[in-house]
Amino acid sequence: MSILDVTVVSVALETFAREFDATTADVAWTMTAYTLALATVIPLTGWAADRFGTKRLYLIAVALFTLGSVLCAIAPDLTWLIIFRVVQGLGGGMLMPLGMTILTRAAGPERLGRVMAVMGIPMLLGPIFGPILGGWLIDVASWHWIFLINLPIGIIGLVYAAKVLEKDDVQPSETFDFVGMLLLSPGLASFLYGVSSIPGAKEESGTAWTTEVVATMVIGAILTSLFIPWALRKSNIHPLMDLRLLKNKNLSVALITMSFFAIAFFGASLLFPLYFQMVRGEDALHAGLLLAPQGVGAILTMPLAGLLADKIGPGKIVMTALAVITVSVGMFTQIDADTSYVYLLSALFIMGLGLGGAMMPIMTAALATLTDHTVARGSTLLNIQQQVAASIGTAIFATLLTNFMQEKKSIQVAGEVAEAEARGGDAAVGELFARLGLTPESFQSLVDKVPGDQAASFASVFVVATALVGLCLVPAFFLPREKVHAPKDVMIGH
């Protein structure tokens, strides 16, 4: 549910704007606030898990996420909804690294691939089915239910986790890294805010590099950069994010591979529903349903990929899967406004087959050689990296799509005419026609070109996506190609 809630709200933004009489920019904060809360709390999770125990912290995270969900459902106005989304994000941000830590410790290195494959199902399907669930709940009930649905699931999760998870055996923890917290948490939040603001800035002002975007990104980058030497120093204070784990070659290679993959995958995931909605005229619900073949393909290959990762190591599986994804994304470079749905859904299914064999084996490679003591820190590092890469990927692809579309005269003119009509009616449209030298016939000719030009813009962005996925093959080549064995007594980085 924490993964679903990153995307489930996306289809409710128009409803929020109408219900709360707010602008699109204002309601977008319901998504941004959740993301920033995730970025703030994830770095704290590794230390907190060591200090308080994974079970106790997991129960707190589920309770906080569930409470935040209920508060969101009863929010009286947009300001309170944004505040409650932060509460929800603080709980949701801890759930993924904690869940990964609990499962990794329970599985051990011999079964890690299979367990990661199970965990990968919600990680891959959450972004795909979030908009479907959100659209359906809004259609059959109301926007309140995209949050209220978390209440029964949260209660079941609390009761079940309290019963089945083993009691914590907490060891004395290092002193809390206050300096690291003051550098890393606001640094990540500031940087991600700047990155996530790029598409909106580009659309509104014509340039991605507004003062707000540049200032927040620079501040975030400076704070995060200052954290690096602080984290690498020798001290009795354990750093908030343990960069010394990067001495582990498998972890470092897996993180680099995952960074490229997350940028390409999460960025491209933005394009598929937009293509179906903008070019093919589908509503949000049907656009989401058309992505189902991707999920089906992933479910088919993920268990097998997890089993093979345990038996023969993740390297060969990831290389094969990335090659399949590269081919499938490349198929989208050939789309136009009338591309057969059979072709589109086949490409998505093939992509799903590749996704099922890529993401979780990469994570298996990252975590398999960590000892029990360092698993929580490694999970935190992996989740931070994935959050940053996903935000960067989304910003890159949204900005590229805007750039390509702004270069098309038909799209530009159609947008200007629609804006003039909304602003001043027929009189404003007449003035615009006169200024641009348009006649009704020439304008209609341009309008007829819009779907084709939109599709061409998407195809151009998919060329970049194909190149990025293909680039993942370079670091993936260095992933282990045999069964991974974890050290029993040696702590990574010491």
Side-chain angles (χ1 to χ4, degrees):
M1 295 309 296
S2 68
I3 297 170
L4 276 174
D5 270 47
V6 176
T7 55
V8 75
V9 174
S10 61
V11 296
L13 295 182
E14 188 177 330
T15 304
F16 291 157
R18 185 173 62 252
E19 291 282 331
F20 298 120
D21 192 24
T23 65
T24 303
D26 289 337
V27 298
W29 271 99
T30 57
M31 293 186 68
T32 304
Y34 187 83
T35 303
L36 296 185
L38 294 183
T40 303
V41 77
I42 287 174
L44 302 172
T45 308
W47 172 85
D50 290 343
R51 174 65 180 84
F52 302 108
T54 51
K55 177 177 181 176
R56 191 175 297 125
L57 193 62
Y58 187 80
L59 293 174
I60 292 171
V62 173
L64 193 59
F65 176 77
T66 306
L67 174 64
S69 300
V70 174
L71 291 173
C72 286
I74 62 174
D77 55 44
L78 184 61
T79 301
W80 280 109
L81 177 58
I82 293 169
I83 292 171
F84 294 148
R85 281 284 281 171
V86 172
V87 175
Q88 192 187 30
L90 292 175
M94 290 188 285
L95 287 173
M96 181 53 66
L98 281 172
M100 194 176 291
T101 299
I102 292 168
L103 285 172
T104 301
R105 287 175 174 171
E110 302 298 319
R111 297 179 298 170
L112 184 57
R114 280 162 283 182
V115 171
M116 283 288 122
V118 174
M119 190 177 187
I121 293 174
M123 289 186 68
L124 279 176
L125 300 190
I128 296 172
F129 290 109
I132 300 175
L133 179 64
W136 178 74
L137 286 171
I138 290 171
D139 284 345
V140 302
S142 70
W143 68 265
H144 304 84
W145 282 94
I146 64 176
F147 300 114
L148 281 177
I149 193 174
N150 293 336
L151 178 59
I153 296 172
I155 292 172
I156 293 169
L158 273 172
V159 173
Y160 187 69
K163 182 177 180 181
V164 302
L165 293 182
E166 292 183 7
K167 186 177 180 180
D168 291 316
D169 180 20
V170 181
Q171 302 297 324
S173 180
E174 297 90 347
T175 306
F176 180 64
D177 184 10
F178 281 104
V179 174
M181 183 193 71
L182 293 175
L183 292 174
L184 186 60
S185 286
L188 279 175
S190 179
F191 180 76
L192 290 183
Y193 172 73
V195 169
S196 62
S197 300
I198 288 174
K202 176 67 178 176
E203 194 169 335
E204 291 179 15
S205 61
T207 176
W209 308 113
T210 62
T211 303
E212 181 184 14
V213 169
V214 172
T216 51
M217 286 183 66
V218 168
I219 291 171
I222 290 173
L223 289 174
T224 306
S225 299
L226 290 173
F227 173 79
I228 295 173
W230 172 261
L232 293 174
R233 82 211 181 292
K234 292 183 178 179
S235 169
N236 65 328
I237 299 176
H238 206 103
L240 199 64
M241 186 168 72
D242 195 352
L243 299 181
R244 289 171 291 190
L245 291 175
L246 296 178
K247 293 179 181 179
N248 181 323
K249 178 193 168 187
N250 286 345
L251 178 63
S252 297
V253 170
L255 282 173
I256 294 169
T257 308
M258 180 57 77
S259 295
F260 284 116
F261 178 76
I263 290 172
F265 169 64
F266 289 103
S269 294
L270 169 78
L271 301 176
F272 302 125
L274 283 178
Y275 169 79
F276 285 125
Q277 288 177 279
M278 294 177 65
V279 181
R280 309 307 288 263
E282 303 287 351
D283 59 29
L285 178 59
H286 286 91
L289 289 171
L290 286 166
L291 298 177
Q294 192 179 54
V296 173
I299 289 173
L300 289 176
T301 56
M302 201 174 286
L304 178 61
L307 179 64
L308 290 175
D310 288 336
K311 298 291 185 183
I312 63 172
K316 297 174 184 175
I317 301 159
V318 173
M319 289 285 288
T320 304
L322 288 174
V324 171
I325 298 172
T326 304
V327 170
S328 62
V329 177
M331 291 175 69
F332 281 92
T333 63
Q334 306 303 310
I335 59 173
D336 56 35
D338 303 307
T339 301
S340 162
Y341 273 90
V342 173
Y343 178 90
L344 295 171
L345 298 185
S346 298
L348 286 169
F349 177 72
I350 295 169
M351 186 181 302
L353 294 175
L355 289 173
M359 180 180 282
M360 302 321 291
I362 295 174
M363 289 191 173
T364 301
L367 298 175
T369 55
L370 297 182
T371 61
D372 185 72
H373 184 73
T374 55
V375 166
R377 307 280 178 161
S379 299
T380 298
L381 190 62
L382 197 59
N383 278 272
I384 290 173
Q385 165 272 333
Q386 188 173 318
Q387 187 68 46
V388 172
S391 297
I392 291 173
T394 301
I396 288 173
F397 283 85
T399 305
L400 283 173
L401 183 62
T402 302
N403 283 341
F404 284 127
M405 286 197 172
Q406 286 178 346
E407 292 173 359
K408 306 293 184 184
K409 183 180 179 182
S410 64
I411 299 173
Q412 188 178 357
V413 171
E416 290 180 12
V417 170
E419 187 179 327
E421 188 173 18
R423 186 178 66 249
D426 292 341
V429 172
E431 292 177 11
L432 181 63
F433 271 36
R435 180 163 60 83
L436 297 177
L438 289 173
T439 64
E441 292 77 15
S442 61
F443 173 65
Q444 185 58 48
S445 177
L446 283 173
V447 169
D448 292 340
K449 293 180 180 178
V450 168
D453 285 345
Q454 286 178 329
S457 299
F458 278 97
S460 298
V461 183
F462 278 117
V463 171
V464 180
T466 305
L468 277 174
V469 178
L471 195 60
C472 295
L473 289 165
V474 177
F477 179 79
F478 298 97
L479 289 172
R481 301 189 187 192
E482 56 187 27
K483 190 173 181 178
V484 179
H485 299 280
K488 298 191 183 308
D489 303 312
V490 181
M491 197 167 96
I492 304 302
H494 290 260

